């Protein structure tokens, strides 16, 4: 087994154990392999090991890497997990399958227009700034209900769930719990939360998508 295949096996085992520990089915948690800045050999290793769900945080970098691979692997699913500028929306809609970082009305409107133009209807997660950090993207918990209505009713976007990136200097559990509470209130079933250092905790709090980079591919 290659090191990447070993890491995948190990992470899948940890995901399964964390899910079972709270009475959830292991396959209710999706592993999003965060491939940003990783060398092509490592990504090929993950593809060879059967992974098809990947996350990227820069449109241009992702396009260079994945546009060709998408033809070779038609079952690839690409999640966008970074800050999305409206001038990159066209390329993002073309390349990605899911936008996890929908965080403002201007972006919702731009995505709506572009999806109709391309006749490609990506599903979205709304990013919530659970730590109320000034420098961080995401809607505030208070603004979520109104933003959700705008996304759905004014823009016709398919909203699957919520996503968060907890503050680096705080224990993440309270943020995961808050995201879950917000999702419940809005009847949203999917939660993208948890990274290499805290995905097991996130699963305990209900994560349906964990975004894992370094634990899978090694350091960036
Ligand atoms: C880079 C990144 C990750 C993965 O982080 P690791 O600690 O390497 O697992 C997850 N989510 C987002 C939004 C990221 O930018």
């Amino acid at each position: 087994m290659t090191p990447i295949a070993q890491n995948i096996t190990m992470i899948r085992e940890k995901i399964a154990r964390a899910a079972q520990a709270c009475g959830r089915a292991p396959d209710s948690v999706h592993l999003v392999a965060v491939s940003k800045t990783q060398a092509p050999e490592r990504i090929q290793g993950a593809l060879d090991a059967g992974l098809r769900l990947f996350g990227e945080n820069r449109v241009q970098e992702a396009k260079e890497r994945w546009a060709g691979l998408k033809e070779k692997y038609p079952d690839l699913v690409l999640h966008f997990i970074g800050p999305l500028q409206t001038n990159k929306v066209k390329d993002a809609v073309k390349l990605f399958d899911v936008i996890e970082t929908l965080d403002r009305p201007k972006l919702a409107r731009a995505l709506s227009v572009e999806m109709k133009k391309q006749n490609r209807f990506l599903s979205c997660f709304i990013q919530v700034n659970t730590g109320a950090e000034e420098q961080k993207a995401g809607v505030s918990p208070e603004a979520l209900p109104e933003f959700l209505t705008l996304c759905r009713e004014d823009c016709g976007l398919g909203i699957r769930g919520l996503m968060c990136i907890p503050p680096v200097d705080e224990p993440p559990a309270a943020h995961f719990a808050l995201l879950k509470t917000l999702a419940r209130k809005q009847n949203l079933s999917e939660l993208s939360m948890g990274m290499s250092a805290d995905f097991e905790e996130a699963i305990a709090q209900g994560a349906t998508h964990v975004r894992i980079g370094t634990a899978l591919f090694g350091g960036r």
Side-chain angles (χ1 to χ4, degrees):
M1 257 210 260
T2 64
I4 299 267
Q6 279 172 3
N7 288 347
I8 293 170
T9 302
M10 183 191 69
I11 288 167
R12 284 207 194 288
E13 279 169 11
K14 286 186 177 174
I15 288 174
R17 252 180 278 138
Q20 278 157 351
C22 53
R24 301 179 54 197
D27 64 3
S28 67
V29 183
H30 302 279
L31 168 59
V32 180
V34 177
S35 47
K36 66 186 186 197
T37 73
Q38 295 288 353
E41 308 83 70
R42 291 184 179 178
I43 290 160
Q44 190 57 53
L47 287 164
D48 292 344
L51 280 197
R52 292 294 182 269
L53 176 53
F54 292 86
E56 289 279 354
N57 70 339
R58 292 216 167 90
V59 176
Q60 187 57 35
E61 184 193 333
K63 192 174 153 186
E64 284 159 22
R65 167 172 299 152
W66 291 106
L69 287 169
K70 261 172 76 134
E71 292 177 20
K72 200 164 161 199
Y73 300 95
D75 54 344
L76 265 181
V77 177
L78 298 180
H79 283 216
F80 188 74
I81 61 167
L84 185 53
Q85 295 164 266
T86 47
N87 64 358
K88 300 276 165 59
V89 158
K90 185 175 173 191
D91 282 344
V93 168
K94 190 162 175 215
L95 183 72
F96 287 93
D97 302 288
V98 175
I99 305 291
E100 291 204 14
T101 46
L102 176 56
D103 65 351
R104 58 198 192 280
K106 189 179 173 203
L107 178 60
R109 293 199 181 93
L111 282 168
S112 170
V113 168
E114 191 58 38
M115 286 185 202
K116 282 180 197 129
K117 248 190 220 163
Q118 295 190 30
N119 199 28
R120 264 181 68 77
F121 297 94
L122 287 61
S123 55
C124 301
F125 288 74
I126 292 176
Q127 182 175 357
V128 181
N129 188 356
T130 57
E133 292 174 282
E134 238 169 65
Q135 78 288 3
K136 195 165 276 175
V139 299
S140 69
E142 298 73 37
L144 177 64
E146 195 184 331
F147 183 57
L148 187 60
T149 303
L150 176 134
C151 289
R152 284 179 163 156
E153 290 175 16
D154 300 355
C155 303
L157 297 174
I159 307 297
R160 273 166 70 163
L162 304 179
M163 176 269 204
C164 75
I165 309 171
V168 285
D169 55 352
E170 284 179 33
H175 296 274
F176 297 154
L178 172 59
L179 199 69
K180 183 184 185 161
T181 303
L182 293 169
R184 270 214 184 129
K185 267 193 207 152
Q186 302 297 335
N187 262 319
L188 292 163
S189 58
E190 300 193 63
L191 289 170
S192 174
M193 55 190 196
M195 319 203 293
S196 290
D198 53 22
F199 67 92
E200 287 155 298
E201 262 180 285
I203 292 167
Q205 303 276 357
T208 59
H209 292 73
V210 290
R211 309 178 306 266
I212 302 184
T214 47
L216 209 155
F217 292 105
R220 286 185 287 270

